[in-house]
Amino acid sequence: MKKILFSLVFICIAQFSFAQDAAFKSDMLKFMNLSGQMSTFEMLTKDIVDNIPDAKKADFQKELKESLNGLMNSMADMYMTEFTHAEVKDFIKFYESPAGKKLSAKTNVLFEKGQAIGQEWGMGLQGVVMKYME
C-alpha cells in the first residue's frame, strides 16, 4: 500500500512540475517574441533568403522557420537557467506596455545602427592596436 501511495504522490508531483515547466517555457518564448528576438534573427537571415532561387525559396523558408524555432527553444532553455518565472512574467508585462512595444518595434533599427557604430569603433580601435603592435 505504501508503494502505491508513494507512486501516486510521485506521479502527481512530476505532472505538476512538468506543467509548471511548460508554463515557464511558454512564457519565456512569449517574452522572446515580444522583445523582438525572433525578428532580429529573421532580419539576420534575410540576405540568405534573398540569395535562394525563387523556385526553392518556399521550401527553404519552411526549413529556416523550423530551424529558428529550434534555436528559440534552445535559447529559451538557456534563459530559463538565468531568470525565474516571476521575472519573465515581469518582462512580459513590460513588453506589453506602450514603452515595451516601442522598444520591441525599434529592435531592428537599433541593431542596424548599433552595428554601424560598432564597425566605426572597430576601425578606430584598429589604429590604436596597430600603434602598440609596432
Side-chain angles (χ1 to χ4, degrees):
M1 182 67 174
K2 286 183 181 180
K3 288 182 182 180
I4 293 172
L5 183 58
F6 177 74
S7 296
L8 288 173
V9 169
F10 180 75
I11 289 170
C12 288
I13 290 171
Q15 287 200 342
F16 178 72
S17 176
F18 178 75
Q20 284 184 319
D21 286 347
F24 186 11
K25 178 83 170 252
S26 177
D27 283 344
M28 182 57 74
L29 290 168
K30 181 178 181 177
F31 152 68
M32 293 172 70
N33 187 48
L34 288 171
S35 67
Q37 292 185 41
M38 180 60 110
S39 67
T40 298
F41 286 116
E42 289 170 347
M43 182 189 72
L44 290 171
T45 58
K46 184 183 178 310
D47 288 341
I48 297 169
V49 173
D50 290 345
N51 288 316
I52 301 295
D54 288 340
K56 298 178 182 180
K57 197 170 281 194
D59 289 336
F60 175 78
Q61 286 177 313
K62 181 180 175 186
E63 284 192 52
L64 177 62
K65 183 175 176 122
E66 290 172 12
S67 175
L68 287 173
N69 286 337
L71 173 63
M72 294 298 281
N73 273 301
S74 294
M75 289 185 62
D77 291 337
M78 182 264 304
Y79 274 58
M80 289 168 67
T81 66
E82 301 296 326
F83 301 103
T84 67
H85 195 177
E87 290 169 329
V88 172
K89 287 179 180 182
D90 287 342
F91 298 160
I92 290 170
K93 284 180 191 173
F94 169 73
Y95 277 102
E96 288 178 335
S97 73
K101 287 177 182 178
K102 182 175 182 177
L103 178 60
S104 180
K106 297 285 185 179
T107 298
N108 291 345
V109 171
L110 294 171
F111 179 84
E112 288 176 0
K113 288 182 176 182
Q115 191 174 30
I117 290 169
Q119 286 174 347
E120 185 177 319
W121 172 80
M123 301 265 299
L125 184 62
Q126 186 177 11
V128 173
V129 170
M130 295 305 293
K131 181 171 89 174
Y132 288 94
M133 296 295 286
E134 296 174 348

